[in-house]
Amino acid sequence: MSNDYTTPDLATQNNNSDALTHSSPPDQSRASLDSSAQEHEAKSPKEDALEEGEILELQAFIPKREWIEEKIKFLEQLPSVDLFDNLEYLVATSPTPVPGLPTRHELDEWMRQHDAIEQEAERFDASDMRRLKKFAKAASQRNLSPADTDLIEVTLTTLLSLDKLIHLLRSRSDYLEVTGLRLTWEEKRLGAWDERQSIQEELGDFIKKVARWTPEAYKQVIESLVNASSSSVNVSNAQTDSPLASPITASTPGRRNSAFSTTSRNSRYKAAEDLTREAGRFSTRIAAWKRNFITPGGNALDRIIEKKPVPDAVLDEQDRLENNVRPLETLGRFGMEVVAQWKKADELLGDLKKEQDASSSLRDEIRYALDHHPSGEMDSSFSTRSQALVQRLTTLTSAMNPRLFPKPINPSFPDQSACNESILSFLSAELSKTKKIVEETSSAAREYHTRHSLVNKAENARFQLEQLTSKLHGHTLRLTDGVLAEDGDGSPIQLNSVDCLDPLKHGAYLAVLPITCNELQEFESAGNKQAKICRESMKALTGHVVDPEFAQKIDQTLAAFEAARKRASEVKETSLSDAARLRDIRKVWSSIGDSWKGLDAIKADLVDRMERAKWTPIGQEQPARSPMQDHTTSWPMFSQNTSSQLKDLSRDILVSVTDAIGGLHSSTGTEVLNALQSGATYIQQYLDNVGGMSRLHEMVQKQASAMSDVQSEQLSLEDRVDKIIPLFEKLRKQIVPSSQERCDAALLSQETKRLSQDYDTLKEALSKFSEDLSSRVPFVGKPDSYFHGPLRTSQPSFATFLQSKGTNLSTASMAFNMPFDMKALDHN
């Protein structure tokens, strides 16, 4: 590749231009024009002559042609500069300027001269050349004369010179353009290296001294930002368009410093925002560096390549610049990540400090509250705040997960990993400290909650005890005073009055007594449970601060409950005992009634049997029998064996009446006891009377049975007598026969003998019947001889006994009558 900017075409054109210039000097051309004018004056009339104005115009054009030739010579004499010389400096150290290049001032001067020549040439070409072409065209249509020939020669020579000048100007313009592009690339290259170095140094200082978070960062960051901002402002002020101007002015750190405090969230927020803006400023500078240096330099180099070959060293340099874009952008992002880490660490530390302060404050509040009586409102507040602390701490713990915490790294900063671990270690220590304080706070809150729960449990138990005590009082009064009942007697049990023997008496009271006692038992069990809760809660609160009035209420409630419980228990036992004794009394009374009814049934049965069993002579009517009535019994609960029934009933009376009366409690009233004893006496008397009646019935049965046998035997004897009389009459007739009848003497003797024997037998039977008759038929005799107890005339009726309950009975009109006259039986 040639370093000479002059091209072969341009050299050829210069040689041609020199040949034309030497062949047609200016003096010679001027002489030719003068002679041509003279010839026009002397030429023959057949030739066309130029007008005077045209001649004057051609004469005025001669100085223009001389200016063109002068500028051609000036351009040809300009020195040629190799724009890609001394590239060894570029290869050795990139930021070093390449020597031998023109300065921007020199290029501007060259451009000024070039523009002046070019503007003049453009004006000449636009006006003068049109006239010359017009003259040449007009001359070509005329008869060729010497003047026309000279005119054509001058026109062609001028056109050739102007073309050469224009070509030189174009070549010079290309050269100046390439030179400008070369200077632009050089300026961008040097500016890019300088700005890159500045960005790297300032960004490195910013990361190491400002952006890295440490516990002391809150004091260091302000001074570092002041220095970084001042240096950045100085560097950015060198740019004409100021694309990298720092947003942090010199007065900002002073303002931050005056308001900044490690405990002030607002100041920390401002510091974080300043760091973010500073990191963003570096990113902006990197983008501007690429936009203002790398991209324009690459565009300039591309335009140079379009115009001429470029050495590999220049291309490699541009590649090195472009290859530095990504690492620098990565470094800028690293700065942003470090700032993000700073903000995250600051946020976490701020939250941890806030939680520490909140936990410490809450812990102190709880400890102060523990010295006073627990409050439900404060317990709810402490529990809610403590739970909120734990939840926020859990969130902070998750946020401090090493996998989630920002940990930026960059090969240019090998110590960043240690910084990351140091930050995590410090924050972990703060987190552990916060956890410890929160745990102490939660423990205090749980202790307060436990104490309040005990107080609340005791208070609720006290309230329940008060209600149970009131219920115990109410039910106790129900047992002592009775109950209200619309359809029964709800009065309490009175064992000293014979009214209690009435089955309907105290009916409503006895109906609700089991329910009331069960409810009392439930109230007592529930009260014991609540009392136990009160005592256990107060025992657990021993040694803790409790309101004396609260403790006094608990003690009073417990005492009131114990008194009510004891009273209710005594009344319940008394009521149940009275109810049991009343049941025993009524059982005895019921047994008396049942025995009386049984004796009535036996007596009625005996009366019926006696009436039917008594002997009645032939011809007298017997009582009509019901076809639906069994003659064996009139009371289905007893068997035919009356004696066995009376024995069983006697045994039952002995057990359920006599012995039961002896076993009654001493608290039984005298009136009631007398009524029971009177009933026992009457039922025993009644039993004896019925027993005597049973014995009398047996005698009646025996008499009737004997009389029945006697009567049957009498009838049999009478029948035998009735039968033997006709036989004797017949035998008499045979012994004293009539004259017409004759009988066998042997047969008659035999018949007489047989009748004699039958007669003797019948006579003997009648004699025996008569002799044994008095011994065979028993006599009932006196009825009173069958009764071993009290006189049978003192037995009252059951209805009368129930009505009087065994007291003040008049026995004169209540005789124990027989069903019929017993003496009449013997007379019959």
Side-chain angles (χ1 to χ4, degrees), residues 100-110 179 183 187:
L101 292 176
T103 63
R104 178 64 67 177
H105 178 71
E106 292 176 345
L107 179 61
D108 293 339
E109 183 63 25
W110 292 348
T179 302
L183 291 179
E187 292 169 354

Side-chain angles (χ1 to χ4, degrees), residues 7-65:
T7 61
D9 295 338
L10 182 58
T12 304
Q13 292 176 3
N14 290 336
N15 292 333
N16 294 334
S17 177
D18 291 343
L20 290 173
T21 303
H22 290 303
S23 63
S24 180
D27 295 338
Q28 185 178 356
S29 298
R30 188 179 300 110
S32 298
L33 290 173
D34 293 339
S35 61
S36 178
Q38 292 176 2
E39 289 177 357
H40 275 282
E41 293 177 357
K43 66 179 180 180
S44 62
K46 294 181 179 179
E47 297 179 354
D48 294 330
L50 294 173
E51 297 178 358
E52 185 178 356
E54 294 176 344
I55 295 173
L56 293 176
E57 186 176 357
L58 288 174
Q59 290 177 353
F61 182 70
I62 293 176
K64 299 289 186 179
R65 183 170 180 272

Side-chain angles (χ1 to χ4, degrees), residues 737-806:
S738 63
S739 60
Q740 290 86 5
E741 295 181 355
R742 308 280 287 183
C743 59
D744 188 359
L747 180 62
L748 180 61
S749 177
Q750 186 179 5
E751 182 68 22
T752 302
K753 185 179 180 180
R754 185 181 62 79
L755 286 175
S756 296
Q757 292 176 351
D758 292 340
Y759 174 77
D760 293 337
T761 303
L762 177 60
K763 182 180 179 180
E764 183 180 359
L766 288 173
S767 178
K768 183 175 176 58
F769 175 76
S770 299
E771 292 175 357
D772 296 339
L773 184 60
S774 58
S775 61
R776 289 178 62 183
V777 178
F779 291 93
V780 175
K782 295 180 180 181
D784 293 341
S785 62
Y786 297 96
F787 299 91
H788 304 298
L791 293 176
R792 61 183 177 87
T793 58
S794 62
Q795 177 63 43
S797 67
F798 182 63
T800 304
F801 177 77
L802 289 179
Q803 184 178 3
S804 63
K805 295 183 175 62

